[in-house]
Amino acid sequence: SARHAFGAIEPGQHISARIRQPATLDMIRETLATARNGQMEYTATLPTESVYMVRMIPAFDEKDHPSFYVLIFRDVSESRRIDRMRTDFVAELRTPLASLRGFIETLLGPARNDSAAHQKFLTIMLEQVTRMSRLVDDLMSLSRLELKARLAPEDEVDLVPLIGSVCDALAPLAEDLGVEIRQSLPEILVSGDRDELTQVFENLIENACKYGQEGKIVEVRLAAKPREPIDISVIDHGPGIPEDQVPRLTERFYRVNVESSRSKKGTGLGLAIVKHLVELHGGSVRAKSGGPDRGATFVVQLPLPVVQRGETADRADSSDRLERRKA
C-alpha cells in the first residue's frame, strides 16, 4: 500500500523525495528532535485526492533511547468523502427548501391578493419540488444499487438496437439543444441487463447533449477486439472538464459547475449511478478530457458474453453433446 501511494523508496533516500508537504516534514523533524509522538493530517492530490492521518512514533531500546521511528499513514479518504457527501446532500435540499419557504411567506403576506404573483411563484415552487423529487428518486436508486449483491448478469444484449432506441428517445432533447447524435456501432453482443444498460447510456448521452451542446455533435462509438471487453465511448465536443476534476466525476453530488448543473436539472447523482450499474456488470467506466474547449469522453467497458470470451465455450459444447446423448 505504501509503495502504491508513494512509489518505491530506496534505502538512504531522503523522505522529502516522496513526501513534499511542508507541515508533514516539520512534524517529522520535531519528532526526531524531541522523541515525542507526532500526528497530523496529510493530503495527497496525485494520482487522486487521498487524505491520511499521519503518526510518527519513536521505538525505544532497553536504555530508553529511540532506536528507530515508525511513520504510519492511515487512509481516511473514504470517511472524508462520506462526510462531504452528507454536507452536499444537506446543501442540495436546503436551497429549494429555502426558496419554497420564501415564496410561501410572500404568498401569505405581500402577494396575498396578487394573482399574477400567484401564478409566477407557484410555477417556480413546482419546479423546486420536482427538483427535490428527482434528487430523492436518484438517491434511493443509488442506495438500492449499493445494497445489491449479485453476480454480473450473463444475458446477451445487442448494443446496436439498445443504443439506437436510447438515441431515438433523446432525439427531441438533442434537437432542442441543437445537437446531432452520431453513432458508429458494429454489430456486437455484451453480457448485461437490458434495462440497466439502457439507463447507463441514457445518462451518458443525455449528459453529453446538455453539457457539450456548444460542440453541436455527440458521438457514440464502439471499439471491439476478439475475446476482449468492449469499449463504448460517448464523446462530446463542448467545453471539456478540468483535468484535476476528472477523478471525482462519479462521486455523489460532485459537479464541475454547480450553477450549470442545476440550470440543466442535474442532481449530481447520474454518473454515480452509471458507475454502480457498470460495476454490477463486471465492467468499468472512465472519463477523459481533451482540455479546455476540447470536449469530454466517457468510456464504458463491458464484458463479452461468457461463451464469446472463450472461458466456458468448451464446457458449453460438451454439455450440449451430453444433453443430445440423453435425449
Side-chain angles (χ1 to χ4, degrees):
S1 296
R3 190 177 296 112
H4 175 74
F6 304 109
I9 301 178
E10 299 297 327
Q13 185 178 22
H14 199 282
I15 197 161
S16 63
R18 285 291 176 268
I19 300 170
R20 304 183 186 278
Q21 190 180 61
T24 306
L25 296 174
D26 288 343
M27 184 268 287
I28 293 171
R29 292 189 192 98
E30 183 176 349
T31 303
L32 290 171
T34 63
R36 291 197 299 267
N37 292 358
Q39 181 170 310
M40 66 164 301
E41 188 173 288
Y42 172 81
T43 302
T45 55
L46 295 173
T48 58
E49 185 180 47
S50 301
V51 183
Y52 302 92
M53 289 303 300
V54 185
R55 297 180 67 203
M56 187 164 176
I57 304 171
F60 296 94
D61 60 19
E62 65 277 2
K63 296 181 180 179
D64 209 27
H65 294 141
S67 55
F68 61 89
Y69 295 81
V70 182
L71 194 58
I72 303 168
F73 286 75
R74 183 164 64 90
D75 192 340
V76 295
S77 307
E78 188 61 26
S79 63
R80 291 289 188 274
R81 274 193 283 270
I82 291 170
D83 289 342
R84 190 162 54 211
M85 283 190 291
R86 288 195 191 103
T87 303
D88 291 344
F89 177 61
V90 172
E92 285 296 325
L93 285 180
R94 182 178 290 142
T95 302
L97 284 173
S99 297
L100 287 173
R101 178 171 181 166
F103 289 130
I104 290 169
E105 289 174 348
T106 303
L107 290 172
L108 291 173
R112 183 187 299 271
N113 300 314
D114 188 339
S115 58
H118 282 203
Q119 183 66 34
K120 177 182 177 182
F121 291 162
L122 288 171
T123 300
I124 299 172
M125 290 166 68
L126 178 60
E127 290 175 356
Q128 296 295 334
V129 170
T130 303
R131 178 183 158 199
M132 282 195 292
S133 179
R134 283 198 309 270
L135 178 64
V136 172
D137 287 346
D138 280 355
L139 193 60
M140 294 297 293
S141 176
L142 187 55
S143 297
R144 284 193 295 270
L145 289 174
E146 290 177 334
L147 293 172
K148 207 171 187 179
R150 67 166 196 209
L151 296 174
E154 294 189 350
D155 292 341
E156 290 189 354
V157 178
D158 189 341
L159 286 178
V160 175
L162 185 147
I163 293 176
S165 66
V166 169
C167 293
D168 289 344
L170 292 173
L173 171 69
E175 186 176 350
D176 289 343
L177 295 172
V179 174
E180 178 189 355
I181 303 175
R182 297 178 181 174
Q183 303 173 53
S184 177
L185 302 170
E187 294 285 341
I188 197 73
L189 298 177
V190 297
S191 282
D193 178 281
R194 182 176 300 278
D195 292 338
E196 291 179 351
L197 290 179
T198 296
Q199 189 176 358
V200 166
F201 292 109
E202 276 181 351
N203 261 304
L204 292 177
I205 297 171
E206 182 177 350
N207 278 357
C209 290
K210 287 180 176 178
Y211 299 104
Q213 68 181 97
E214 293 92 334
K216 304 298 182 186
I217 295 171
V218 168
E219 299 177 70
V220 186
R221 299 179 187 169
L222 189 151
K225 295 180 181 178
R227 295 182 183 272
E228 289 189 14
I230 305 301
D231 283 352
I232 308 99
S233 301
V234 178
I235 306 160
D236 70 62
H237 299 271
I241 305 164
E243 199 66 36
D244 60 329
Q245 299 190 44
V246 169
R248 297 190 59 193
L249 290 175
T250 55
E251 290 182 20
R252 293 186 188 194
F253 303 117
Y254 186 77
R255 295 179 172 99
V256 175
N257 185 315
V258 175
E259 291 306 317
S260 174
S261 177
R262 285 178 179 166
S263 69
K264 293 175 171 61
K265 301 182 180 179
T267 63
L269 293 170
L271 290 177
I273 291 171
V274 166
K275 178 185 176 184
H276 279 281
L277 284 171
V278 173
E279 288 179 348
L280 283 172
H281 281 70
S284 63
V285 60
R286 63 186 186 274
K288 299 185 291 185
S289 179
D293 301 318
R294 299 189 65 181
T297 300
F298 286 84
V299 182
V300 174
Q301 188 172 85
L302 293 170
L304 287 167
V306 173
V307 173
Q308 284 192 36
R309 279 179 258 164
E311 293 174 0
T312 59
D314 295 337
R315 187 171 62 194
D317 289 342
S318 63
S319 176
D320 288 344
R321 287 194 295 272
L322 181 60
E323 291 299 322
R324 284 197 293 272
R325 284 197 209 103
K326 288 179 180 176

Short mmCIF file of all heavy atoms in Angstrom, two decimals, residues 183-215:
data_model
loop_
_atom_site.label_atom_id
_atom_site.label_comp_id
_atom_site.label_asym_id
_atom_site.label_seq_id
_atom_site.Cartn_x
_atom_site.Cartn_y
_atom_site.Cartn_z
N GLN A 183 -23.79 7.85 -34.48
CA GLN A 183 -23.49 6.52 -33.96
C GLN A 183 -22.55 5.78 -34.90
O GLN A 183 -22.71 5.83 -36.11
CB GLN A 183 -24.77 5.70 -33.81
CG GLN A 183 -25.82 6.33 -32.91
CD GLN A 183 -27.12 5.55 -32.95
OE1 GLN A 183 -27.14 4.35 -32.73
NE2 GLN A 183 -28.21 6.25 -33.26
N SER A 184 -21.57 5.11 -34.30
CA SER A 184 -20.69 4.23 -35.06
C SER A 184 -20.60 2.92 -34.29
O SER A 184 -19.75 2.74 -33.42
CB SER A 184 -19.30 4.87 -35.21
OG SER A 184 -18.42 3.99 -35.89
N LEU A 185 -21.54 2.00 -34.61
CA LEU A 185 -21.71 0.81 -33.78
C LEU A 185 -21.77 -0.45 -34.64
O LEU A 185 -22.81 -0.75 -35.23
CB LEU A 185 -23.01 0.93 -32.96
CG LEU A 185 -23.13 2.15 -32.04
CD1 LEU A 185 -24.55 2.24 -31.50
CD2 LEU A 185 -22.15 2.04 -30.90
N PRO A 186 -20.67 -1.20 -34.73
CA PRO A 186 -20.76 -2.50 -35.41
C PRO A 186 -21.59 -3.47 -34.57
O PRO A 186 -21.73 -3.30 -33.37
CB PRO A 186 -19.29 -2.95 -35.47
CG PRO A 186 -18.61 -2.22 -34.37
CD PRO A 186 -19.33 -0.91 -34.22
N GLU A 187 -22.15 -4.47 -35.23
CA GLU A 187 -22.96 -5.46 -34.52
C GLU A 187 -22.11 -6.15 -33.46
O GLU A 187 -21.05 -6.70 -33.76
CB GLU A 187 -23.50 -6.50 -35.50
CG GLU A 187 -24.49 -5.95 -36.51
CD GLU A 187 -25.85 -5.68 -35.88
OE1 GLU A 187 -26.10 -6.24 -34.80
OE2 GLU A 187 -26.63 -4.90 -36.45
N ILE A 188 -22.56 -6.11 -32.21
CA ILE A 188 -21.80 -6.75 -31.13
C ILE A 188 -22.74 -7.09 -29.98
O ILE A 188 -23.70 -6.38 -29.71
CB ILE A 188 -20.66 -5.82 -30.63
CG1 ILE A 188 -19.63 -6.63 -29.82
CG2 ILE A 188 -21.19 -4.66 -29.82
CD1 ILE A 188 -18.77 -7.51 -30.63
N LEU A 189 -22.46 -8.21 -29.32
CA LEU A 189 -23.21 -8.61 -28.14
C LEU A 189 -22.35 -8.43 -26.90
O LEU A 189 -21.13 -8.62 -26.95
CB LEU A 189 -23.64 -10.08 -28.24
CG LEU A 189 -24.57 -10.48 -29.39
CD1 LEU A 189 -24.81 -11.98 -29.36
CD2 LEU A 189 -25.88 -9.72 -29.32
N VAL A 190 -22.98 -8.06 -25.78
CA VAL A 190 -22.29 -7.99 -24.50
C VAL A 190 -23.13 -8.74 -23.47
O VAL A 190 -24.30 -9.01 -23.68
CB VAL A 190 -22.07 -6.53 -24.03
CG1 VAL A 190 -21.17 -5.78 -24.98
CG2 VAL A 190 -23.40 -5.81 -23.82
N SER A 191 -22.50 -9.06 -22.34
CA SER A 191 -23.24 -9.62 -21.22
C SER A 191 -23.85 -8.49 -20.42
O SER A 191 -23.15 -7.53 -20.08
CB SER A 191 -22.30 -10.42 -20.31
OG SER A 191 -22.02 -11.67 -20.87
N GLY A 192 -25.16 -8.57 -20.13
CA GLY A 192 -25.73 -7.48 -19.35
C GLY A 192 -27.23 -7.58 -19.17
O GLY A 192 -27.88 -8.50 -19.68
N ASP A 193 -27.75 -6.62 -18.44
CA ASP A 193 -29.18 -6.46 -18.23
C ASP A 193 -29.65 -5.31 -19.12
O ASP A 193 -29.14 -4.19 -19.01
CB ASP A 193 -29.45 -6.16 -16.76
CG ASP A 193 -30.92 -5.94 -16.47
OD1 ASP A 193 -31.42 -4.83 -16.76
OD2 ASP A 193 -31.56 -6.85 -15.95
N ARG A 194 -30.62 -5.58 -19.99
CA ARG A 194 -31.03 -4.59 -20.99
C ARG A 194 -31.51 -3.29 -20.35
O ARG A 194 -31.10 -2.20 -20.76
CB ARG A 194 -32.13 -5.18 -21.87
CG ARG A 194 -32.62 -4.25 -22.99
CD ARG A 194 -33.63 -4.96 -23.85
NE ARG A 194 -33.07 -6.15 -24.46
CZ ARG A 194 -32.33 -6.12 -25.57
NH1 ARG A 194 -32.09 -4.96 -26.17
NH2 ARG A 194 -31.84 -7.23 -26.07
N ASP A 195 -32.36 -3.37 -19.32
CA ASP A 195 -32.90 -2.16 -18.71
C ASP A 195 -31.81 -1.34 -18.03
O ASP A 195 -31.79 -0.11 -18.11
CB ASP A 195 -33.98 -2.52 -17.68
CG ASP A 195 -35.23 -3.09 -18.35
OD1 ASP A 195 -35.43 -2.82 -19.55
OD2 ASP A 195 -35.98 -3.81 -17.67
N GLU A 196 -30.90 -2.01 -17.35
CA GLU A 196 -29.84 -1.29 -16.65
C GLU A 196 -28.86 -0.65 -17.63
O GLU A 196 -28.40 0.48 -17.41
CB GLU A 196 -29.11 -2.23 -15.68
CG GLU A 196 -29.99 -2.65 -14.51
CD GLU A 196 -29.29 -3.60 -13.55
OE1 GLU A 196 -28.17 -4.06 -13.89
OE2 GLU A 196 -29.84 -3.88 -12.47
N LEU A 197 -28.54 -1.35 -18.71
CA LEU A 197 -27.66 -0.76 -19.72
C LEU A 197 -28.35 0.42 -20.42
O LEU A 197 -27.69 1.40 -20.78
CB LEU A 197 -27.22 -1.81 -20.74
CG LEU A 197 -26.25 -2.87 -20.21
CD1 LEU A 197 -25.90 -3.87 -21.30
CD2 LEU A 197 -24.97 -2.23 -19.67
N THR A 198 -29.64 0.32 -20.61
CA THR A 198 -30.38 1.46 -21.17
C THR A 198 -30.23 2.68 -20.27
O THR A 198 -29.99 3.80 -20.75
CB THR A 198 -31.87 1.10 -21.34
OG1 THR A 198 -32.00 0.03 -22.28
CG2 THR A 198 -32.67 2.30 -21.83
N GLN A 199 -30.34 2.48 -18.95
CA GLN A 199 -30.18 3.59 -18.01
C GLN A 199 -28.78 4.18 -18.08
O GLN A 199 -28.60 5.40 -18.02
CB GLN A 199 -30.48 3.11 -16.59
CG GLN A 199 -30.56 4.23 -15.56
CD GLN A 199 -30.95 3.74 -14.18
OE1 GLN A 199 -31.21 2.55 -13.98
NE2 GLN A 199 -31.00 4.64 -13.22
N VAL A 200 -27.77 3.32 -18.22
CA VAL A 200 -26.38 3.80 -18.33
C VAL A 200 -26.22 4.73 -19.52
O VAL A 200 -25.72 5.86 -19.39
CB VAL A 200 -25.42 2.59 -18.46
CG1 VAL A 200 -24.03 3.06 -18.92
CG2 VAL A 200 -25.29 1.85 -17.14
N PHE A 201 -26.66 4.29 -20.70
CA PHE A 201 -26.42 5.09 -21.90
C PHE A 201 -27.37 6.28 -22.01
O PHE A 201 -27.01 7.30 -22.61
CB PHE A 201 -26.46 4.19 -23.14
CG PHE A 201 -25.32 3.22 -23.17
CD1 PHE A 201 -25.51 1.88 -22.96
CD2 PHE A 201 -24.02 3.69 -23.36
CE1 PHE A 201 -24.44 1.00 -22.94
CE2 PHE A 201 -22.94 2.82 -23.35
CZ PHE A 201 -23.14 1.47 -23.14
N GLU A 202 -28.56 6.18 -21.42
CA GLU A 202 -29.43 7.37 -21.34
C GLU A 202 -28.73 8.48 -20.55
O GLU A 202 -28.72 9.64 -20.96
CB GLU A 202 -30.76 7.01 -20.67
CG GLU A 202 -31.78 6.41 -21.60
CD GLU A 202 -33.08 6.08 -20.87
OE1 GLU A 202 -33.10 6.16 -19.62
OE2 GLU A 202 -34.06 5.75 -21.55
N ASN A 203 -28.17 8.12 -19.40
CA ASN A 203 -27.48 9.10 -18.57
C ASN A 203 -26.31 9.74 -19.32
O ASN A 203 -26.16 10.96 -19.34
CB ASN A 203 -26.96 8.43 -17.29
CG ASN A 203 -27.85 8.67 -16.09
OD1 ASN A 203 -28.14 9.80 -15.73
ND2 ASN A 203 -28.29 7.60 -15.46
N LEU A 204 -25.47 8.91 -19.92
CA LEU A 204 -24.26 9.42 -20.55
C LEU A 204 -24.56 10.26 -21.79
O LEU A 204 -23.96 11.33 -21.99
CB LEU A 204 -23.33 8.26 -20.92
CG LEU A 204 -22.70 7.51 -19.73
CD1 LEU A 204 -21.85 6.35 -20.23
CD2 LEU A 204 -21.85 8.45 -18.88
N ILE A 205 -25.47 9.80 -22.63
CA ILE A 205 -25.76 10.53 -23.87
C ILE A 205 -26.52 11.82 -23.56
O ILE A 205 -26.28 12.87 -24.15
CB ILE A 205 -26.53 9.63 -24.86
CG1 ILE A 205 -25.64 8.45 -25.27
CG2 ILE A 205 -26.93 10.42 -26.10
CD1 ILE A 205 -26.37 7.37 -26.08
N GLU A 206 -27.45 11.76 -22.59
CA GLU A 206 -28.17 12.97 -22.19
C GLU A 206 -27.21 14.01 -21.62
O GLU A 206 -27.28 15.19 -21.95
CB GLU A 206 -29.25 12.63 -21.17
CG GLU A 206 -30.08 13.83 -20.75
CD GLU A 206 -31.19 13.48 -19.78
OE1 GLU A 206 -31.45 12.27 -19.58
OE2 GLU A 206 -31.83 14.41 -19.23
N ASN A 207 -26.27 13.57 -20.76
CA ASN A 207 -25.27 14.49 -20.22
C ASN A 207 -24.43 15.12 -21.33
O ASN A 207 -24.14 16.32 -21.31
CB ASN A 207 -24.34 13.76 -19.24
CG ASN A 207 -24.94 13.63 -17.86
OD1 ASN A 207 -26.02 14.12 -17.59
ND2 ASN A 207 -24.23 12.94 -16.98
N ALA A 208 -24.03 14.29 -22.29
CA ALA A 208 -23.21 14.80 -23.39
C ALA A 208 -23.96 15.85 -24.19
O ALA A 208 -23.38 16.86 -24.61
CB ALA A 208 -22.77 13.64 -24.30
N CYS A 209 -25.25 15.64 -24.40
CA CYS A 209 -26.06 16.63 -25.14
C CYS A 209 -26.18 17.93 -24.35
O CYS A 209 -26.05 19.03 -24.90
CB CYS A 209 -27.45 16.07 -25.43
SG CYS A 209 -27.48 14.73 -26.64
N LYS A 210 -26.44 17.81 -23.04
CA LYS A 210 -26.67 19.00 -22.22
C LYS A 210 -25.39 19.80 -21.98
O LYS A 210 -25.36 21.02 -22.15
CB LYS A 210 -27.26 18.59 -20.86
CG LYS A 210 -28.71 18.14 -20.92
CD LYS A 210 -29.18 17.76 -19.52
CE LYS A 210 -30.64 17.38 -19.50
NZ LYS A 210 -31.08 16.97 -18.13
N TYR A 211 -24.32 19.09 -21.57
CA TYR A 211 -23.11 19.81 -21.16
C TYR A 211 -22.12 20.03 -22.30
O TYR A 211 -21.19 20.81 -22.16
CB TYR A 211 -22.42 19.04 -20.01
CG TYR A 211 -23.31 18.94 -18.78
CD1 TYR A 211 -23.94 17.74 -18.47
CD2 TYR A 211 -23.52 20.04 -17.98
CE1 TYR A 211 -24.78 17.65 -17.36
CE2 TYR A 211 -24.35 19.96 -16.86
CZ TYR A 211 -24.98 18.76 -16.56
OH TYR A 211 -25.81 18.68 -15.46
N GLY A 212 -22.35 19.35 -23.43
CA GLY A 212 -21.46 19.55 -24.58
C GLY A 212 -22.18 20.16 -25.76
O GLY A 212 -21.71 20.05 -26.89
N GLN A 213 -23.32 20.83 -25.49
CA GLN A 213 -24.14 21.32 -26.61
C GLN A 213 -23.42 22.36 -27.45
O GLN A 213 -23.71 22.51 -28.63
CB GLN A 213 -25.46 21.89 -26.09
CG GLN A 213 -25.35 23.17 -25.28
CD GLN A 213 -26.71 23.64 -24.80
OE1 GLN A 213 -27.10 23.37 -23.68
NE2 GLN A 213 -27.44 24.32 -25.68
N GLU A 214 -22.43 23.07 -26.87
CA GLU A 214 -21.70 24.06 -27.68
C GLU A 214 -20.98 23.41 -28.85
O GLU A 214 -20.76 24.03 -29.89
CB GLU A 214 -20.68 24.82 -26.81
CG GLU A 214 -21.31 25.72 -25.75
CD GLU A 214 -21.47 24.99 -24.43
OE1 GLU A 214 -21.58 23.74 -24.45
OE2 GLU A 214 -21.48 25.66 -23.38
N GLY A 215 -20.59 22.14 -28.70
CA GLY A 215 -19.88 21.44 -29.77
C GLY A 215 -20.78 20.93 -30.87
O GLY A 215 -20.29 20.50 -31.93
#
